[in-house]
Coordinates of all heavy atoms in Angstrom, one line a residue:
T236 N -36.7 6.4 107.9 CA -37.8 6.6 106.8 C -39.2 6.3 107.5 O -39.3 5.5 108.3 CB -37.7 5.7 105.6 OG1 -37.8 4.4 106.0 CG2 -36.3 6.0 104.9
S237 N -40.1 7.1 107.0 CA -41.5 6.8 107.4 C -42.5 6.9 106.2 O -43.7 6.5 106.3 CB -41.9 7.7 108.6 OG -42.0 9.0 108.1
Y238 N -42.1 7.6 105.2 CA -43.0 8.0 104.1 C -42.8 7.0 103.0 O -41.8 6.5 102.7 CB -42.7 9.4 103.5 CG -43.6 10.5 103.9 CD1 -44.0 10.7 105.2 CD2 -44.3 11.2 102.9 CE1 -44.9 11.7 105.5 CE2 -45.2 12.2 103.2 CZ -45.5 12.4 104.5 OH -46.4 13.4 104.8
S239 N -44.0 6.8 102.3 CA -43.9 6.0 101.1 C -44.8 6.8 100.1 O -46.0 7.1 100.5 CB -44.5 4.6 101.3 OG -44.6 4.0 100.0
G240 N -44.4 7.1 98.9 CA -45.1 8.0 98.0 C -45.5 9.3 98.8 O -44.6 10.0 99.2
M241 N -46.7 9.6 98.8 CA -47.1 11.0 99.3 C -47.6 10.9 100.8 O -48.1 11.9 101.3 CB -48.3 11.6 98.4 CG -47.7 12.0 97.2 SD -49.0 13.2 96.6 CE -48.3 13.6 94.9
D242 N -47.6 9.8 101.4 CA -48.2 9.7 102.7 C -47.3 8.9 103.7 O -46.5 8.1 103.3 CB -49.5 8.9 102.7 CG -50.5 9.7 101.9 OD1 -50.9 10.7 102.3 OD2 -50.8 9.2 100.8
S243 N -47.5 9.3 105.0 CA -46.8 8.6 106.1 C -47.3 7.2 106.1 O -48.5 6.9 106.0 CB -47.0 9.3 107.4 OG -46.5 8.6 108.4
T244 N -46.4 6.2 106.3 CA -46.8 4.9 106.4 C -47.3 4.5 107.8 O -47.8 3.5 108.0 CB -45.7 3.8 106.1 OG1 -44.6 4.1 107.0 CG2 -45.1 4.0 104.7
G245 N -46.9 5.4 108.7 CA -47.2 5.2 110.1 C -46.2 4.3 110.8 O -46.3 4.0 112.0
R246 N -45.2 3.8 110.1 CA -44.1 3.0 110.6 C -42.8 3.6 110.4 O -42.6 4.2 109.4 CB -44.1 1.6 109.9 CG -45.1 0.6 110.5 CD -45.2 -0.7 109.6 NE -45.8 -0.4 108.3 CZ -45.1 -0.5 107.1 NH1 -43.9 -1.0 107.1 NH2 -45.8 -0.2 106.0
I247 N -42.0 3.4 111.4 CA -40.6 4.0 111.3 C -39.6 2.9 111.0 O -39.7 1.9 111.6 CB -40.2 4.6 112.7 CG1 -41.2 5.8 113.1 CG2 -38.8 5.1 112.8 CD1 -40.8 7.0 112.4
R248 N -38.7 3.3 110.1 CA -37.7 2.3 109.8 C -36.3 3.1 110.0 O -36.1 4.1 109.4 CB -37.7 1.8 108.4 CG -38.9 1.0 108.2 CD -39.0 0.5 106.7 NE -38.1 -0.6 106.4 CZ -38.1 -1.1 105.2 NH1 -38.8 -0.6 104.3 NH2 -37.3 -2.2 105.0
V249 N -35.5 2.5 110.9 CA -34.2 3.1 111.2 C -33.2 2.5 110.3 O -33.0 1.2 110.4 CB -33.8 2.8 112.6 CG1 -32.4 3.5 112.9 CG2 -34.8 3.4 113.6
K250 N -32.6 3.2 109.4 CA -31.6 2.7 108.4 C -30.2 2.8 109.0 O -29.4 1.9 108.8 CB -31.7 3.5 107.1 CG -33.0 3.5 106.5 CD -33.2 2.1 105.7 CE -34.5 2.0 105.1 NZ -34.6 2.4 103.7
S251 N -29.9 3.9 109.8 CA -28.7 4.0 110.5 C -28.8 4.9 111.6 O -29.6 5.9 111.6 CB -27.5 4.3 109.6 OG -27.6 5.6 109.2
W252 N -28.0 4.7 112.6 CA -28.2 5.5 113.9 C -26.8 6.0 114.3 O -25.8 5.5 113.9 CB -28.7 4.5 115.0 CG -29.2 5.2 116.2 CD1 -28.6 5.3 117.4 CD2 -30.4 5.9 116.4 NE1 -29.3 6.0 118.3 CE2 -30.4 6.4 117.7 CE3 -31.5 6.3 115.5 CZ2 -31.5 7.2 118.2 CZ3 -32.5 7.1 116.0 CH2 -32.5 7.5 117.3
L253 N -26.8 7.1 115.1 CA -25.5 7.7 115.5 C -24.8 6.9 116.6 O -25.3 6.0 117.2 CB -25.8 9.1 116.1 CG -26.9 9.3 117.1 CD1 -26.4 8.8 118.5 CD2 -27.4 10.7 117.2
E254 N -23.5 7.3 116.7 CA -22.7 6.5 117.7 C -22.0 7.4 118.8 O -21.3 7.0 119.6 CB -21.5 5.8 117.0 CG -22.0 4.7 116.2 CD -20.9 3.8 115.5 OE1 -19.8 4.3 115.5 OE2 -21.3 2.8 115.0
E255 N -22.3 8.7 118.7 CA -21.7 9.6 119.6 C -22.2 9.5 121.0 O -23.4 9.1 121.2 CB -22.0 11.1 119.1 CG -21.2 11.5 117.9 CD -21.8 11.0 116.6 OE1 -22.8 10.3 116.6 OE2 -21.2 11.2 115.5
D256 N -21.4 9.9 121.9 CA -21.8 10.0 123.3 C -22.6 11.3 123.6 O -22.0 12.4 123.3 CB -20.6 9.9 124.3 CG -20.9 10.1 125.7 OD1 -22.2 10.1 126.1 OD2 -20.0 10.4 126.5
L257 N -23.8 11.2 123.9 CA -24.6 12.4 124.0 C -25.0 12.8 125.5 O -25.7 13.8 125.6 CB -25.9 12.2 123.2 CG -25.7 11.9 121.8 CD1 -27.1 11.6 121.1 CD2 -24.9 13.0 121.0
E258 N -24.4 12.1 126.4 CA -24.8 12.4 127.8 C -24.3 13.8 128.2 O -23.2 14.2 127.9 CB -24.1 11.4 128.7 CG -24.6 11.6 130.2 CD -24.2 10.3 131.1 OE1 -23.8 9.3 130.6 OE2 -24.3 10.5 132.3
D259 N -25.3 14.5 128.8 CA -25.0 15.9 129.3 C -24.8 16.9 128.1 O -24.3 18.0 128.4 CB -23.8 15.9 130.2 CG -24.3 15.9 131.6 OD1 -25.5 16.2 131.8 OD2 -23.5 15.6 132.5
K260 N -25.0 16.5 126.9 CA -24.8 17.4 125.8 C -26.1 18.2 125.4 O -27.2 17.8 125.7 CB -24.4 16.7 124.5 CG -23.3 15.7 124.7 CD -22.0 16.4 125.1 CE -20.9 15.4 124.9 NZ -19.9 15.3 126.0
Y261 N -25.9 19.3 124.7 CA -27.0 20.1 124.2 C -27.3 19.6 122.8 O -26.5 19.8 121.9 CB -26.6 21.6 124.2 CG -26.7 22.3 125.5 CD1 -25.5 22.2 126.3 CD2 -27.7 22.9 125.9 CE1 -25.6 22.7 127.6 CE2 -27.8 23.6 127.2 CZ -26.7 23.5 128.0 OH -26.7 24.1 129.2
L262 N -28.5 18.9 122.6 CA -28.8 18.4 121.3 C -29.8 19.3 120.5 O -30.8 19.8 121.1 CB -29.6 17.1 121.4 CG -28.8 15.9 122.1 CD1 -29.6 14.6 121.8 CD2 -27.4 15.8 121.7
L263 N -29.5 19.4 119.3 CA -30.4 20.2 118.4 C -30.7 19.2 117.2 O -29.9 18.8 116.4 CB -29.7 21.4 117.8 CG -30.6 22.2 116.8 CD1 -31.9 22.8 117.5 CD2 -29.8 23.3 116.1
I264 N -32.0 18.7 117.2 CA -32.4 17.8 116.1 C -32.8 18.7 115.0 O -33.6 19.6 115.1 CB -33.6 17.0 116.6 CG1 -33.2 16.1 117.8 CG2 -34.1 16.1 115.5 CD1 -34.4 15.4 118.5
V265 N -32.3 18.3 113.8 CA -32.6 19.1 112.6 C -33.3 18.2 111.6 O -32.9 17.2 111.1 CB -31.3 19.6 111.9 CG1 -31.7 20.4 110.7 CG2 -30.5 20.4 112.9
E266 N -34.6 18.6 111.4 CA -35.6 17.8 110.6 C -36.0 18.6 109.4 O -36.0 19.9 109.4 CB -36.8 17.4 111.5 CG -37.9 16.8 110.8 CD -37.7 15.4 110.1 OE1 -36.7 15.4 109.4 OE2 -38.5 14.5 110.3
D267 N -36.4 18.0 108.3 CA -36.9 18.7 107.1 C -38.3 19.2 107.4 O -38.6 20.4 107.5 CB -36.8 18.0 105.9 CG -37.4 16.5 106.0 OD1 -38.1 16.2 107.0 OD2 -37.1 15.7 105.1
V268 N -39.3 18.3 107.5 CA -40.7 18.7 107.6 C -41.3 17.9 108.8 O -41.1 16.7 108.8 CB -41.6 18.3 106.3 CG1 -43.0 18.9 106.5 CG2 -40.9 18.8 105.1
V269 N -42.1 18.6 109.6 CA -42.9 17.9 110.6 C -44.3 17.7 110.1 O -44.9 18.8 109.8 CB -42.8 18.6 112.0 CG1 -43.5 17.8 113.0 CG2 -41.4 19.0 112.4
D270 N -44.8 16.5 110.0 CA -46.1 16.2 109.5 C -47.0 15.6 110.6 O -47.6 16.3 111.4 CB -46.0 15.4 108.2 CG -47.4 15.2 107.6 OD1 -48.4 15.9 108.0 OD2 -47.6 14.2 106.9
T271 N -46.9 14.3 110.7 CA -47.7 13.7 111.7 C -47.0 13.7 113.1 O -47.5 13.5 114.1 CB -48.0 12.2 111.5 OG1 -46.7 11.5 111.4 CG2 -48.7 12.0 110.1
G272 N -45.7 14.1 113.0 CA -44.9 14.0 114.3 C -44.3 12.7 114.7 O -43.5 12.5 115.6
L273 N -44.7 11.7 113.9 CA -44.2 10.3 114.3 C -42.7 10.2 114.3 O -42.1 9.6 115.2 CB -44.8 9.3 113.1 CG -44.6 7.9 113.3 CD1 -45.5 7.3 114.4 CD2 -44.8 7.1 112.1
T274 N -42.0 10.7 113.2 CA -40.6 10.7 113.2 C -39.9 11.3 114.4 O -39.1 10.7 115.0 CB -40.1 11.2 111.9 OG1 -40.8 10.7 110.8 CG2 -38.5 11.1 111.7
L275 N -40.4 12.5 114.7 CA -39.7 13.2 115.8 C -40.1 12.6 117.2 O -39.1 12.6 118.1 CB -40.1 14.7 115.8 CG -39.4 15.5 114.8 CD1 -39.8 16.9 114.8 CD2 -37.8 15.5 115.1
R276 N -41.3 12.0 117.3 CA -41.6 11.4 118.5 C -40.6 10.2 118.8 O -40.1 10.0 119.9 CB -43.1 11.0 118.5 CG -44.0 11.7 119.4 CD -45.3 11.0 119.7 NE -46.0 10.6 118.5 CZ -46.6 11.5 117.7 NH1 -46.7 12.8 118.0 NH2 -47.2 11.1 116.6
Y277 N -40.5 9.5 117.8 CA -39.6 8.3 117.8 C -38.1 8.7 118.1 O -37.5 8.2 119.2 CB -39.6 7.5 116.5 CG -38.8 6.3 116.5 CD1 -39.3 5.1 116.7 CD2 -37.4 6.4 116.1 CE1 -38.5 3.9 116.8 CE2 -36.6 5.2 116.1 CZ -37.1 4.0 116.4 OH -36.4 2.9 116.4
V278 N -37.6 9.7 117.4 CA -36.3 10.2 117.6 C -36.0 10.7 119.0 O -35.1 10.4 119.7 CB -35.9 11.2 116.5 CG1 -34.6 11.9 116.9 CG2 -35.8 10.6 115.2
M279 N -37.0 11.5 119.5 CA -36.9 12.1 120.8 C -36.9 11.0 121.9 O -36.1 11.1 122.8 CB -38.1 13.0 121.1 CG -38.2 14.2 120.2 SD -37.1 15.5 120.9 CE -38.1 16.1 122.2
R280 N -37.7 10.0 121.7 CA -37.8 9.0 122.7 C -36.5 8.3 122.9 O -36.0 8.0 124.0 CB -38.9 8.0 122.4 CG -39.1 6.8 123.3 CD -40.5 6.3 123.4 NE -41.0 6.0 122.0 CZ -41.1 4.7 121.5 NH1 -40.6 3.7 122.2 NH2 -41.5 4.5 120.4
Y281 N -35.8 8.0 121.7 CA -34.5 7.3 121.8 C -33.4 8.2 122.1 O -32.5 7.7 122.9 CB -34.3 6.4 120.5 CG -35.1 5.2 120.5 CD1 -36.4 5.2 120.0 CD2 -34.6 4.1 121.2 CE1 -37.2 4.1 120.1 CE2 -35.5 3.0 121.3 CZ -36.7 3.0 120.7 OH -37.5 1.8 120.9
L282 N -33.4 9.4 121.7 CA -32.3 10.3 122.1 C -32.3 10.6 123.6 O -31.3 10.8 124.3 CB -32.3 11.5 121.3 CG -31.9 11.4 119.8 CD1 -31.9 12.7 119.1 CD2 -30.6 10.7 119.7
K283 N -33.5 10.6 124.2 CA -33.6 10.9 125.7 C -32.9 9.9 126.5 O -32.4 10.1 127.6 CB -35.1 11.1 126.1 CG -35.7 12.4 125.8 CD -37.1 12.6 126.3 CE -37.6 13.9 125.9 NZ -39.1 14.0 125.9
K284 N -32.8 8.7 126.0 CA -32.2 7.6 126.7 C -30.7 7.8 126.9 O -30.0 7.2 127.7 CB -32.4 6.2 125.9 CG -33.8 5.8 125.9 CD -33.9 4.4 125.3 CE -35.3 4.0 124.8 NZ -36.1 3.6 125.9
Y285 N -30.1 8.7 126.0 CA -28.7 9.0 126.2 C -28.5 10.1 127.3 O -27.4 10.5 127.5 CB -28.2 9.7 124.8 CG -28.1 8.7 123.7 CD1 -29.2 8.3 123.1 CD2 -26.8 8.2 123.3 CE1 -29.1 7.3 122.0 CE2 -26.7 7.3 122.3 CZ -27.9 6.9 121.6 OH -27.8 6.0 120.5
R286 N -29.5 10.5 127.9 CA -29.5 11.5 129.0 C -28.8 12.8 128.6 O -27.8 13.2 129.3 CB -29.0 10.9 130.2 CG -29.9 9.7 130.7 CD -29.6 9.4 132.1 NE -28.3 8.7 132.3 CZ -27.7 8.6 133.4 NH1 -28.1 9.2 134.4 NH2 -26.5 8.0 133.4
P287 N -29.1 13.4 127.5 CA -28.6 14.7 127.1 C -29.1 15.7 128.1 O -29.9 15.5 128.9 CB -29.2 14.9 125.7 CG -30.4 14.2 125.7 CD -30.2 13.0 126.6
K288 N -28.3 16.8 128.2 CA -28.7 17.9 129.1 C -30.0 18.6 128.6 O -30.8 19.0 129.4 CB -27.5 19.0 129.2 CG -27.7 20.0 130.2 CD -26.4 20.8 130.3 CE -26.4 21.7 131.6 NZ -26.2 20.9 132.8
D289 N -30.1 18.7 127.3 CA -31.2 19.5 126.7 C -31.4 19.0 125.2 O -30.5 18.7 124.6 CB -30.8 21.0 126.7 CG -31.8 21.9 126.2 OD1 -32.8 22.0 126.9 OD2 -31.8 22.4 125.1
I290 N -32.7 19.0 124.8 CA -33.0 18.6 123.4 C -33.9 19.7 122.9 O -35.0 20.0 123.4 CB -33.7 17.3 123.2 CG1 -33.0 16.1 124.0 CG2 -33.9 16.9 121.8 CD1 -33.6 14.8 123.7
R291 N -33.5 20.3 121.7 CA -34.4 21.2 121.0 C -34.6 20.7 119.6 O -33.7 19.8 119.1 CB -33.7 22.6 120.9 CG -33.4 23.1 122.2 CD -34.7 23.7 122.9 NE -34.4 23.6 124.4 CZ -35.3 24.1 125.3 NH1 -36.5 24.6 124.9 NH2 -35.1 23.9 126.5
I292 N -35.6 21.2 118.8 CA -35.8 20.8 117.5 C -35.8 22.0 116.6 O -36.5 23.0 116.9 CB -37.3 20.1 117.5 CG1 -37.2 18.9 118.4 CG2 -37.5 19.7 116.0 CD1 -38.6 18.3 118.5

Side-chain angles (χ1 to χ4, degrees):
T236 62
S237 66
Y238 253 55
S239 172
M241 284 200 186
D242 296 293
S243 172
T244 60
R246 274 174 292 122
I247 296 285
R248 294 176 78 179
V249 178
K250 302 281 181 95
S251 69
W252 193 256
L253 50 77
E254 292 185 349
E255 289 78 4
D256 172 16
L257 302 176
E258 188 165 348
D259 262 343
K260 310 293 194 228
Y261 285 85
L262 300 193
L263 177 67
I264 302 172
V265 182
E266 171 64 310
D267 48 10
V268 188
V269 188
D270 179 17
T271 64
L273 185 74
T274 305
L275 281 176
R276 251 194 307 281
Y277 182 92
V278 168
M279 293 281 280
R280 178 148 55 97
Y281 282 90
L282 289 182
K283 277 182 184 159
K284 293 185 196 286
Y285 291 75
R286 297 195 291 156
K288 192 172 191 74
D289 185 70
I290 307 186
R291 303 284 151 177
I292 300 171

